[in-house]
Amino acid sequence: MTTADSPNPTAPLARAAAETPTSLWNDSADPNELQASIGFGAVGATCNPVIAFTAINKYPEIWGPRLRELAAEHPTWGESELGWEAVRELSIDAAKLLLPIFEETGGRNGRLSIQTDPRLYRDADALVAQAVEFSQLAPNIIVKIPATATGIAAMEEAAYRGVSINATCSFTVPQAVAVGEALERALDRRAAEGLPEQEFGHVVTIMGGRLDDWLKKWAGAERILTTPGALDWAGVAALKRAHQIFTERGYRSRILSAAFRSFLHWSELVGGDLVVSPPFDWQVRINENNVPAENRIDVPVDADVMAELMELSEFRRAYEPDGMNIDEFLDFGATRNTLRQFLDADAQLDALVRDAILPGA
């Protein structure tokens, strides 16, 4: 009988995890989903403001009373402070589920990713301070910081201080390369100063599905017609290119595939020494449909599809390592849209706390 601690070896996700360097993470800190995902072979998990709000909102019978307890314990705290304390607790609980994997792999896997407050995206010092604080919540915490000019500076400093990093709000090859280089500088600084060397498990996310979303929106606004399905390969192409560059340059961080829009964001990357982080339902469907777990990381995207994508100036910005400079990252359409979504989720979390501690009459 297969249990959460005994993955079904015939399922595609488990086969990929067992037979290739590709690691599976669960794109949620929901404890029930994470436990089941570990049963599929997951060795990590991620959280962000949208995910945190969804998980807390999903269990009102747990979080409603807990938020009222926190409000009683901290009578001067506002809604945001209470909400972020709930996020901390959610993350600590999820990290416990992954701790045995963390210990078994020496820190390479078994990490729970928690995101910095999106409202701090303009303040590098505040991002570093919160990253350091979050890293102390559990030994296997990895901290998300946006891949903007401000965020990358914060990542380098936080990594130098010993924080394990996961770049978020990252959609393009130039963003990934800039983060990879910053993490290399941080590791080199640590080595030069004789600071303890350890496996930090740094990962650099490319939200492939959100790149696809943005290019579809951009092409529509530009009144550009594309072959149906061609833009669904944009994120895959960027992920493959970034993985190739990281491998060639020997970066000590791994690419992470997130923001799934199709099973291609897993199946086309199997075989790479990278992380794939599908939402739980995508994992279930990949297994249910027995999507082949074949080594496809080095199989190029169809030449005709690539030729069509390369005709799009916005895709070239996202695909070429020098397609954007670091000061352009914040204004990239996918970055602006995603940051706004994270900020909206933060506001929704405030409202959820308000309803719990100050319900309407």
Side-chain angles (χ1 to χ4, degrees):
M1 178 178 180
T2 298
T3 68
D5 297 319
S6 175
N8 177 2
T10 65
L13 292 171
R15 287 206 309 275
E19 298 172 8
T20 78
T22 308
S23 296
L24 173 69
W25 287 17
N26 186 58
D27 196 22
S28 171
D30 180 303
N32 295 324
E33 291 183 357
L34 177 54
Q35 189 67 61
S37 183
I38 292 171
F40 296 156
V43 293
T46 63
C47 194
N48 63 38
V50 176
I51 291 170
F53 168 77
T54 301
I56 292 169
N57 191 47
K58 185 177 178 180
Y59 301 104
E61 71 283 2
I62 296 174
W63 287 106
R66 180 57 185 147
L67 286 167
R68 289 189 286 274
E69 287 177 0
L70 286 170
E73 294 168 7
H74 305 280
T76 64
W77 280 12
E79 294 160 354
S80 181
E81 291 169 297
L82 293 168
W84 275 90
E85 182 60 24
V87 171
R88 289 181 181 87
E89 293 187 3
L90 175 72
S91 300
I92 290 168
D93 289 344
K96 290 176 183 176
L97 294 175
L98 294 164
L99 189 58
I101 299 167
F102 173 81
E103 293 172 341
E104 180 182 341
T105 63
R108 182 163 176 78
N109 289 312
R111 293 187 180 272
L112 186 282
S113 185
I114 180 173
Q115 185 161 324
T116 47
D117 188 332
R119 293 170 299 183
L120 304 178
Y121 75 94
R122 292 163 54 87
D123 188 337
D125 290 341
L127 288 169
V128 171
Q130 190 171 68
V132 171
E133 184 236 316
F134 282 171
S135 72
Q136 296 168 356
L137 294 175
N140 55 329
I141 290 290
I142 188 168
V143 182
K144 286 184 176 181
I145 298 176
T148 62
T150 299
I152 292 171
M155 283 186 235
E156 181 174 345
E157 179 61 24
Y160 163 71
R161 297 191 193 184
V163 177
S164 296
I165 296 296
N166 178 359
T168 189
C169 286
S170 178
F171 317 89
T172 69
V173 176
Q175 284 177 289
V177 169
V179 174
E181 291 174 346
L183 294 176
E184 288 299 304
R185 290 193 298 270
L187 291 169
D188 288 345
R189 285 171 62 195
R190 287 184 62 83
E193 296 182 21
L195 294 172
E197 294 191 27
Q198 62 196 74
E199 173 58 75
F200 287 100
H202 297 313
V203 293
V204 183
T205 293
I206 290 183
M207 305 174 91
R210 288 180 181 265
L211 175 58
D212 296 350
D213 293 345
W214 167 243
L215 290 174
K216 291 173 185 178
K217 183 175 181 178
W218 174 85
E222 297 292 319
R223 300 184 61 78
I224 296 173
L225 294 178
T226 58
T227 302
L231 293 176
D232 294 324
W233 287 91
V236 170
L239 282 155
K240 284 177 178 281
R241 184 101 191 256
H243 173 265
Q244 179 186 30
I245 291 170
F246 273 47
T247 301
E248 290 172 350
R249 297 184 183 181
Y251 288 164
R252 289 164 284 182
S253 52
R254 289 178 290 173
I255 292 294
L256 185 150
S257 168
F260 274 52
R261 298 297 183 267
S262 79
F263 65 80
L264 297 175
H265 293 129
W266 171 75
S267 62
E268 285 294 318
L269 304 173
V270 170
D273 185 11
L274 47 73
V275 177
V276 288
S277 184
F280 181 70
D281 187 57
W282 273 109
Q283 297 172 49
V284 174
R285 285 189 279 169
I286 287 168
N287 281 338
E288 286 176 345
N289 288 274
N290 200 29
V291 177
E294 301 172 347
N295 188 330
R296 293 191 58 81
I297 185 62
D298 294 323
V299 177
V301 173
D302 179 84
D304 290 339
V305 171
M306 282 302 302
E308 182 170 357
L309 290 174
M310 291 299 287
E311 292 178 359
L312 305 174
S313 61
E314 194 73 348
F315 174 75
R316 294 196 301 272
R317 291 180 74 205
Y319 183 73
E320 297 293 356
D322 58 356
M324 286 188 285
N325 65 55
I326 194 168
D327 293 322
E328 294 178 281
F329 295 165
L330 179 59
D331 198 46
F332 187 64
T335 307
R336 287 186 279 121
N337 291 342
T338 301
L339 265 175
R340 288 181 60 87
Q341 186 180 10
F342 287 167
L343 289 163
D344 287 344
D346 199 63
Q348 288 179 296
L349 181 58
D350 285 353
L352 186 151
V353 173
R354 185 180 312 129
D355 288 341
I357 66 173
L358 191 67

